[in-house]
Amino acid sequence: MHAKHMLFTTAALTAIFAAMPTAAQATQANIVAFQIPAQSVQSAMSQFAQQAGVQVLFPYDHVQGMRTKGIKGRMTAADAITRMIVGTGLKVVRSSDGVIALAAIAHDNAPAPGSSRSVTADTMRVHPAAILALGAPMAASAAQESDGASNGDKDEPKADIIVTGSRGVVRSRTDSPTPIDVISAAELEKTGKPGVLAALNALVPSFNVPTRAGGGTSTVIATGGLRGLNPDQTLILVNGKRRHKTSLINAVSSLYNGSVPADLDMIPTSAIDHIEVLRDGAAAQYGSDAIAGVINIILKHGTGGGAASFTAGQNMDRSDGENYLAQANLGTRLGEHGFLDGFINLKKQNASNRAVPIASTVVLYPLVGGKPDPREATADRLVTKNYGAFPTQQINTGYNAAYDVGGVHLYSFGTYSQRNSELNFTFRAPNAAASLPQIYPNGFRPRLNIKEEDFEFALGAKGRIGGWDWDLSSTYGSNRSSQYGSNTLNPSLGPTSQTDFYVGALKSTEWVNSLDVTKGYKLGGGNLQVSAGLQHRLETYGIAAGEPNSYAAGTYTYVVNGVTQRPAPGAQAAAGFTPADAGSKHRNNIAAYVDLAYDPSPSTTIGVAGRFEHYDDASGNTAIGKANIRQAVTPWLALRGAVSSGFRAPGLAQQIYASTTGQFRTLSDGTLNLLQIKTLPVGSAAAVALGATPLKPETSTNYSAGIVLTPIRNLNITVDGYQISVKDRIAITSTLTGSAVSAILTANGLSPDISAQYYTNAIDTRTRGIDVVATYRNKLWDFGRMSWNLGYNYNQTDITKIKGNPPQLAALGAGFVLFDRLSQSNLTTNLPRTKLYLGNLTSVGPISLNTRVVRYGKFDGLANAVTTAGVTSFSADRHFGAKWITDMELSWQVTKPLNLAVGANNLFNVYPDYTTASFNPSLGSGQYPTTGGYGFTGGYYYGRVSVSF
């Protein structure tokens, strides 16, 4: 049909229905059980009219060759038809008295006739304009009563139409054969959390973000695990494209030791439209890392106008830990056929501290003639200043853009971030060997400054050829962290040592090129969606050496009270990367996949996927698969299940990372001992001498089964059980120390004063759990509305096998354990086993109250045995009870563009259980666990002002 005919048809239909009443019949507001497969517009409208009980008018000639999307489930007629016509180039121009009129979108960049472009990052959501075109009465019913749809208030989540886990097919989250959470930008903002990871921790029951996973760079990485697994066992996507990993490694950590994840806090929160969390193994569809699931961050797109907000808050106790977050986004059209959205975040976090002053009996200064130094009486006894959050400053920017050129849709997005972090380390008292009185007469607190630069750039094109929708893209991401030591010294160099050092740098890059195609077919009375793709990924990882004095081993000694002191080599808490540590590694990966989704009937969905990956390093070749099914038993009950195999290739950082760190350990007599621990590259001569072998991929087998319930209007319930078995899981060894280890290290050119550890495929684990998610929306009489969200997760990880000691360690004696009790606890007991979430959003006029209550279950921090006088005990074990944490936010829509909000996270100032088992009287810290998901600094209060324009 010519353009003038299209415009005439649109104008004629609009004129006809403009004269009709605007009130829709009651049947249009009712929920209807729809079962309409993807098919031609003509036949789909016929089925829709019969099932909805309405008459549909549309430009018959213009829709030749067009195909609608399939729909299943209970929803309003408005929501159903809106979902069906996404991407067709049609819109609803009027609805009234049981009649719905469709017309062609009158602009040049509408999809060509016959197009069935798959829903992707920039088309997946039902745009608000499409719902408004339905007319006021029907728009309200669609928004308030559809499965997860919005009622037009920006505080409510939008329609839950998802793309993750379902290539080329539009589905709602309850239609998905695997469990998916959809979290809107408004929900993220209302948590009051300063970053993406912290917000997900509050909103996704099976997602756990520890307050501090450990020491060193583990305090910098924004990291969290899904379903009890490591952060790098969850794949991160942005707009459906793989996100690059950080260069920092979870070293010197308790939880997630050795993991190298993507850092979600490098993505500006102002850029996020919504997040889809796929809680199921999906490596067969998306590749390495997707063992626990997939987190897909969808950026804002084609918004028009903009918004800005400023949030400030601080901890209630001690009035510390101030957080400041300024963010903005602006969208505009690019000519007649495109859009450009820009984003920026500015964030500053100040330090918090929950240490207490040490007792006056603790000696800080060397004795003078056998008596206490007079300075003991006036010394600052609050020696620990870092028992809480560390200071950071950060700027995140980004953009998302698209432009249609003929039948080709060009798109691009990217982010650029800088972050400066200060890691303040344990106090070195004046009487410590490292505290040279000529430089630090009153002791010192060494600091490591990390300056990160992170960016990602993606460019792609989509189109349709020969009935196939295609998507060709290239994505490049990089993270570089330069490290500097300050307020420190290399005591082995003596009083002439400098106090600031360049420690070195880490850099990680990923370049990913992908081609994805998809096409729908009619098969056996049903619909088959065939998707396939090819991908090439080039990964690099490099370590740059620090300046020589940062790692030098000097010969300086000095005498205190007749005792010769020989301080440890290297800059305290900031020992530089040595030339032997420095180096780089790269590898290529080529992958191919096929993904089939078959709907033999409107009530059944069957999916199968297979993937083959080739690595040109020791990871070799891997073939994996997945199968899933969803069966609607009744209009309100559906069953679903999946089985899959998966894998995670070893991170390049895990293969070549090397560093020397100082860790304080409490000895059996209660005294502190500073261990210099060397993380050895797997392929180094020293590591091989201690039994290291080349790392191989982790492999997994996933099973899940669940039910989807919609028993009454506006209530959705999903219950999913799962089991994830991981074989050859990569972990760091226990700290290997002693004279036998020193001899091996010395023989391989290393200092005898250090202990050692390395990464190895140490264990097999089995994780079992259950997820429950429910949502309910209801009116609050005639003046308001309420939205309820409930989530529950039970998760238990067991170690089913521990790799035996290699012959090199076995020869050293029974005292050397590859994976000790402490390390095992960090995988199995040191996270809450249960998590219960209950949220409510109540809106009355311009006032909204958002309340969230989370119960974090009990957990245990188990330690290695302590032997004193021949008696073995586990006195260092720690046990922490369950806690209820309440968050609340009150907001006022002062005017249409202006919103004010005040809120509290941990409103009632709840702390973890106090324990003496890990309290260190010499430092005044350690009384609270750092692995809990709700922190140990008490209540946090904040205010926010938001403006839209």
Side-chain angles (χ1 to χ4, degrees):
M1 180 180 288
H2 296 296
K4 64 180 181 179
H5 292 153
M6 292 168 54
L7 293 173
F8 174 79
T9 303
T10 302
L13 288 171
T14 303
I16 291 172
F17 287 97
M20 291 186 175
T22 59
Q25 289 185 332
T27 56
Q28 293 173 319
N30 291 337
I31 299 294
V32 178
F34 286 98
Q35 294 183 348
I36 303 175
Q39 57 191 296
S40 67
V41 170
Q42 296 97 323
S43 59
M45 290 304 108
S46 175
Q47 292 186 29
F48 171 79
Q50 293 176 1
Q51 295 182 24
V54 299
Q55 182 179 0
V56 183
L57 300 179
F58 57 93
Y60 190 87
D61 292 337
H62 173 69
V63 302
Q64 292 290 336
M66 285 186 181
R67 290 178 61 83
T68 63
K69 307 299 182 183
I71 58 170
K72 294 188 298 183
R74 301 172 70 248
M75 64 194 81
T76 63
D79 196 23
I81 199 167
T82 301
R83 295 184 185 195
M84 291 172 65
I85 64 175
V86 168
T88 63
L90 297 173
K91 67 177 181 180
V92 178
V93 294
R94 196 71 176 178
S95 84
S96 57
D97 293 334
V99 180
I100 297 176
L102 303 180
I105 298 173
H107 56 69
D108 295 338
N109 62 339
S115 171
S116 61
R117 179 180 297 165
S118 60
V119 175
T120 57
D122 55 355
T123 62
M124 67 168 291
R125 284 303 188 95
V126 178
H127 195 277
I131 295 180
L132 295 176
L134 293 169
M138 199 165 183
S141 68
Q144 294 174 6
E145 300 169 42
S146 66
D147 165 35
S150 170
N151 61 6
D153 191 303
K154 72 180 183 67
D155 293 338
E156 295 280 354
K158 298 179 181 178
D160 292 339
I161 300 175
I162 53 96
V163 292
T164 309
S166 181
R167 296 181 184 271
V169 180
V170 180
R171 300 189 191 276
S172 71
R173 63 176 179 176
T174 53
D175 289 338
S176 173
T178 49
I180 294 181
D181 298 314
V182 181
I183 301 169
S184 70
E187 290 175 287
L188 293 172
E189 183 180 57
K190 281 188 170 297
T191 64
K193 305 290 186 180
V196 178
L197 260 294
L200 288 178
N201 186 50
L203 296 172
V204 180
S206 59
F207 194 73
N208 282 290
V209 178
T211 308
R212 188 188 294 179
T217 56
S218 299
T219 61
V220 176
I221 307 169
T223 186
L226 188 64
R227 286 185 163 177
L229 298 184
N230 280 354
D232 54 6
Q233 291 170 324
T234 297
L235 178 62
I236 307 300
L237 306 176
V238 176
N239 281 355
K241 309 301 179 184
R242 177 183 285 265
R243 178 78 176 180
H244 66 280
K245 296 180 177 65
T246 178
S247 61
L248 298 171
I249 191 169
N250 268 302
V252 199
S253 61
S254 301
L255 303 179
Y256 313 139
N257 209 336
S259 66
V260 190
D263 194 331
L264 290 184
D265 277 356
M266 289 297 190
I267 300 171
T269 52
S270 59
I272 298 173
D273 179 83
H274 69 283
I275 299 177
E276 299 176 6
V277 182
L278 170 60
R279 293 177 278 112
D280 193 65
Q285 296 164 294
Y286 296 102
S288 175
D289 307 345
I291 288 178
V294 175
I295 296 177
N296 191 6
I297 298 176
I298 308 299
L299 303 181
K300 293 176 181 175
H301 47 276
T303 54
S309 68
F310 177 74
T311 305
Q314 68 175 17
N315 295 320
M316 172 184 172
D317 291 345
R318 303 195 189 183
S319 298
D320 62 2
E322 295 86 355
N323 258 293
Y324 307 96
L325 175 64
Q327 57 183 11
N329 68 277
L330 178 65
T332 185
R333 291 179 63 88
L334 285 180
E336 294 297 321
H337 311 295
F339 68 86
L340 171 64
D341 285 87
F343 322 104
I344 187 170
N345 281 20
L346 301 171
K347 175 185 173 182
K348 181 179 180 180
Q349 174 181 290
N350 291 338
S352 58
N353 184 34
R354 292 300 172 269
V356 297
I358 60 175
S360 59
T361 55
V362 178
V363 178
L364 296 176
Y365 291 88
L367 298 177
V368 179
K371 297 181 179 180
D373 189 300
R375 291 174 292 179
E376 295 281 2
T378 58
D380 180 5
R381 313 301 286 188
L382 185 62
V383 299
T384 297
K385 309 289 187 179
N386 65 339
Y387 191 44
F390 286 169
T392 63
Q393 296 185 39
Q394 186 168 349
I395 178 171
N396 295 346
T397 62
Y399 76 93
N400 190 23
Y403 198 88
D404 287 339
V405 181
V408 177
H409 179 79
L410 304 177
Y411 63 89
S412 180
F413 60 88
T415 61
Y416 177 82
S417 301
Q418 290 184 349
R419 179 169 64 195
N420 294 336
S421 306
E422 293 182 8
L423 306 188
N424 296 297
F425 284 83
T426 304
F427 177 66
R428 272 63 168 168
N431 58 7
S435 297
L436 303 186
Q438 300 91 331
I439 301 178
Y440 295 113
N442 296 309
F444 67 104
R445 298 174 181 86
R447 179 182 300 128
L448 181 66
N449 303 85
I450 299 179
K451 297 183 178 180
E452 289 180 83
E453 184 177 45
D454 184 282
F455 74 89
E456 182 166 72
F457 174 76
L459 179 65
K462 303 174 186 177
R464 182 177 174 84
I465 184 170
W468 288 85
D469 294 320
W470 57 268
D471 183 346
L472 180 64
S473 66
S474 182
T475 304
Y476 181 82
S478 171
N479 179 275
R480 178 184 172 87
S481 62
S482 301
Q483 303 181 21
Y484 304 85
S486 62
N487 197 44
T488 185
L489 81 165
N490 184 341
S492 71
L493 299 179
T496 60
S497 171
Q498 65 201 73
T499 57
D500 296 295
F501 300 86
Y502 170 63
V503 174
L506 305 172
K507 185 176 182 179
S508 174
T509 71
E510 291 187 36
W511 182 27
V512 183
N513 300 288
S514 301
L515 173 63
D516 301 284
V517 297
T518 184
K519 183 178 182 179
Y521 294 90
K522 295 288 292 182
L523 179 65
N527 296 279
L528 174 67
Q529 191 76 23
V530 178
S531 303
L534 297 171
Q535 186 178 92
H536 168 261
R537 185 166 79 254
L538 172 63
E539 302 174 78
T540 70
Y541 191 82
I543 302 174
E547 62 178 287
N549 282 349
S550 69
Y551 55 79
T555 59
Y556 178 77
T557 62
Y558 64 97
V559 178
V560 177
N561 294 326
V563 179
T564 300
Q565 303 281 344
R566 187 174 66 85
Q572 281 288 294
F577 297 109
T578 69
D581 296 336
S584 64
K585 186 177 179 65
H586 74 274
R587 70 179 174 199
N588 289 277
N589 162 248
I590 298 175
Y593 76 88
V594 176
D595 190 353
L596 306 177
Y598 182 46
D599 296 277
S601 70
S603 61
T604 305
T605 296
I606 301 172
V608 294
R611 189 179 190 94
F612 176 80
E613 299 227 4
H614 167 73
Y615 288 83
D616 62 0
D617 65 357
S619 297
N621 300 328
T622 302
I624 53 177
K626 180 175 182 176
N628 57 56
I629 186 170
R630 182 185 186 278
Q631 178 65 51
V633 181
T634 70
W636 54 269
L637 171 64
L639 307 178
R640 62 187 180 189
V643 58
S644 64
S645 57
F647 79 105
R648 188 190 74 82
L652 293 181
Q654 293 175 322
Q655 299 181 50
I656 70 169
Y657 181 78
S659 69
T660 302
T661 57
Q663 297 183 39
F664 281 92
R665 301 288 178 89
T666 302
L667 301 180
S668 59
D669 61 0
T671 60
L672 275 182
N673 182 41
L674 177 62
L675 287 181
Q676 294 290 106
I677 301 177
K678 179 78 173 183
T679 299
L680 301 171
V682 172
S684 67
V688 172
L690 290 170
T693 56
L695 296 178
K696 55 185 178 181
E698 302 171 339
T699 58
S700 68
T701 304
N702 294 47
Y703 300 95
S704 66
I707 60 174
V708 180
L709 296 166
T710 53
I712 61 174
R713 179 171 165 176
N714 298 335
L715 175 61
N716 296 315
I717 304 171
T718 63
V719 181
D720 295 278
Y722 57 89
Q723 176 177 294
I724 308 169
S725 298
V726 184
K727 186 178 180 181
D728 296 322
R729 192 162 169 174
I730 297 172
I732 201 162
T733 66
S734 307
T735 302
L736 306 175
T737 189
S739 58
V741 172
S742 296
I744 292 176
L745 296 176
T746 302
N748 286 277
L750 298 176
S751 168
D753 298 321
I754 63 176
S755 300
Q757 56 187 11
Y758 57 84
Y759 293 101
T760 183
N761 295 94
I763 53 175
D764 297 347
T765 63
R766 181 185 62 230
T767 300
R768 288 173 173 167
I770 186 169
D771 285 325
V772 180
V773 177
T775 61
Y776 179 66
R777 294 179 175 87
N778 65 290
K779 290 184 177 180
L780 192 63
W781 295 286
D782 294 328
F783 56 83
R785 58 193 177 275
M786 302 181 76
S787 297
W788 296 86
N789 293 278
L790 180 144
Y792 172 78
N793 174 254
Y794 171 84
N795 192 90
Q796 178 177 340
T797 296
D798 295 312
I799 297 175
T800 57
K801 179 182 177 182
I802 298 178
K803 178 181 177 181
N805 278 358
Q808 294 89 333
L809 283 184
L812 300 180
F816 291 91
V817 180
L818 191 69
F819 203 64
D820 59 22
R821 186 172 183 262
L822 172 64
S823 302
Q824 294 177 43
S825 173
N826 289 330
L827 281 175
T828 59
T829 68
N830 212 354
L831 279 172
R833 185 161 291 181
T834 63
K835 190 175 173 183
L836 174 66
Y837 164 94
L838 179 62
N840 173 267
L841 175 62
T842 299
S843 299
V844 178
I847 305 297
S848 294
L849 179 65
N850 188 50
T851 308
R852 180 175 58 255
V853 179
V854 184
R855 181 189 184 273
Y856 295 88
K858 65 180 181 179
F859 60 100
D860 304 303
L862 306 183
N864 292 325
V866 176
T867 302
T868 305
V871 178
T872 300
S873 68
F874 299 98
S875 57
D877 286 356
R878 299 167 299 153
H879 307 280
F880 306 101
K883 298 294 181 181
W884 291 87
I885 305 298
T886 303
D887 302 336
M888 185 176 293
E889 178 181 292
L890 180 66
S891 65
W892 175 30
Q893 196 69 41
V894 183
T895 63
K896 187 175 181 179
L898 176 63
N899 183 275
L900 302 178
V902 293
N905 289 323
N906 195 352
L907 176 65
F908 300 113
N909 201 36
V910 176
Y911 274 76
D913 292 338
Y914 185 101
T915 178
T916 58
S918 56
F919 177 71
N920 192 308
S922 299
L923 298 174
S925 61
Q927 63 270 39
Y928 300 116
T930 62
T931 55
Y934 51 93
F936 57 94
T937 54
Y940 173 84
Y941 303 94
Y942 65 91
R944 182 178 63 248
V945 57
S946 304
V947 179
S948 59
F949 47 88

